[in-house]
């Protein structure tokens, strides 16, 4: 698959590395210093290249949006139309003063979907720190780290679940974009954000959310720090 990465930093750069290692072609974009992008792409081998955001959008069957929250309006303006593109949204809504208030009770995922008209947005790769994702990808099946995802386009979710698997994690479907809140900051009781789950517990989490029951307490694995 061809994946355009918009923001190849800690989260996007690591995901690009994992995708390339799994045999996908990646296109890194959006940097204050394009030479850094070229170096990062070179380090990922022949399956990686770099360039402008618009070229990443053109390239990708799937796009990964992995920029700071405050950079989203600017990068979307630069990216051009995202009609029919599958967009993996890794962002968390942290601004200069901390967690940003979103209008109308929207989840951050819904808020972002509204500013990407026509895109098939799937939220994923946002609940655990980049360091944790880098060090824990590719565990054996029962210990695999779960990456929750949600979205309103079932086919897009299937594609993203496949990429989560290819990257060395276990996908768990939390529902639609309106159901994203437990995946979103801050870390708190009743949310999966910032918590490590493995596949068996994730099944219980998904069932509890679908049935409107409180979430079981997160497993007592050694914790990583809050995902930003
Ligand atoms: N880090 C985590 O643990 C973590 C975990 C889960 C989710 N997230 C979310 O994922 C998204 C990306 O986070 P990240 O930690 O990967 O960020 P990051 O390491 O700072 O990467 C941001 C990327 O955007 C590029 N960029 C271009 N213009 C920029 C500008 N004006 N200001 C800042 N960056 C610019 C940077 O490239 P240059 O530096 O080359 O300019 C870099 O490749 C955020 O929304 C974050 O909340 C992060």
């Amino acid at each position: 698959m061809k994946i355009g990465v918009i923001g190849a930093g800690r989260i996007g750069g690591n995901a690009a590395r994992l995708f390339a290692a799994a045999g996908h072609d990646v296109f890194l974009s959006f940097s204050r210093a394009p030479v850094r992008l070229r170096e990062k792409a070179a380090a990922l081998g022949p399956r990686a290249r770099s360039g402008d955001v618009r070229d990443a959008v053109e390239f990708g069957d799937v796009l990964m949006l992995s920029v700071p929250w405050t950079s989203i309006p600017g990068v979307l303006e630069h990216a051009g139309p995202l009609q029919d593109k599958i967009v993996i949204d890794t962002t968390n809504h942290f601004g200069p003063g901390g967690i940003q208030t979103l209008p109308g009770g929207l989840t951050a995922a819904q808020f972002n979907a509204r500013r990407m008209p026509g895109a098939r947005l799937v939220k994923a790769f946002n609940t655990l720190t980049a360091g944790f994702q880098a060090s824990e990808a590719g565990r054996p099946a029962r210990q695999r780290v779960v990456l929750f995802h949600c979205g309103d386009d079932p086919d897009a979710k299937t594609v993203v679940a496949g990429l989560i698997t290819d990257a060395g994690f276990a996908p768990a479907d939390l529902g639609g974009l309106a159901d994203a809140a437990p995946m979103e900051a801050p870390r708190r009781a009743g949310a999966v954000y910032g918590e490590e789950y493995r596949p068996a517990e994730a099944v219980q989490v998904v069932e509890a959310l679908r049935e409107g029951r409180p979430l079981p307490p997160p497993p007592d694995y050694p914790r990583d720090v809050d995902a930003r």
Side-chain angles (χ1 to χ4, degrees):
M1 187 157 279
K2 292 161 103 178
I3 304 167
V5 178
I6 303 174
R10 287 166 290 183
I11 288 286
N14 182 59
R17 176 181 65 83
L18 296 170
F19 292 149
H24 298 290
D25 294 310
V26 296
F27 189 115
L28 313 186
S29 71
F30 191 56
S31 171
R32 290 157 291 190
V35 67
R36 271 208 291 270
L37 277 182
R38 286 198 289 277
E39 287 165 4
K40 283 181 188 178
L44 297 187
R47 293 207 168 273
R49 68 186 84 171
S50 68
D52 187 72
V53 175
R54 270 188 192 258
D55 295 327
V57 171
E58 176 70 24
F59 175 87
D61 306 314
V62 174
L63 305 173
M64 173 173 267
L65 178 69
S66 195
V67 303
W69 185 259
T70 50
S71 297
I72 295 174
V75 78
L76 290 182
E77 196 177 330
H78 200 57
L82 299 177
Q83 186 68 38
D84 298 330
K85 292 285 184 181
I86 296 175
V87 176
I88 304 174
D89 177 9
T90 80
T91 67
N92 289 319
H93 53 304
F94 290 102
I99 293 180
Q100 302 295 285
T101 305
L102 301 169
L106 295 178
T107 65
Q110 287 176 303
F111 184 78
N112 278 348
R114 289 185 185 195
R115 45 187 180 173
M116 294 180 230
R120 304 159 70 197
L121 189 141
V122 179
K123 184 152 192 164
F125 288 86
N126 74 298
T127 57
L128 295 166
T129 66
F132 193 71
Q133 293 186 38
S135 64
E136 304 308 317
R139 286 189 194 160
R142 277 189 298 183
Q143 286 85 41
R144 278 214 163 196
V145 172
V146 166
L147 289 189
F148 291 95
H149 63 285
C150 65
D152 294 338
D153 182 317
D155 293 337
K157 281 204 291 194
T158 300
V159 169
V160 173
L163 290 174
I164 289 172
T165 303
D166 291 350
F169 303 101
D173 181 354
L174 226 58
L177 298 178
D179 304 314
M183 285 177 61
E184 297 184 341
R187 190 178 188 184
R188 63 203 185 277
V192 300
Y193 177 84
E195 308 292 349
E196 177 189 341
Y197 289 89
R198 298 181 189 179
E201 298 102 11
V203 171
Q204 294 169 18
V205 166
V206 169
E207 278 175 9
L209 287 170
R210 286 202 181 132
E211 293 166 11
R213 289 187 280 111
L215 294 191
D220 196 18
Y221 300 126
R223 298 282 176 77
D224 202 36
V225 291
D226 205 8
R228 286 188 178 239

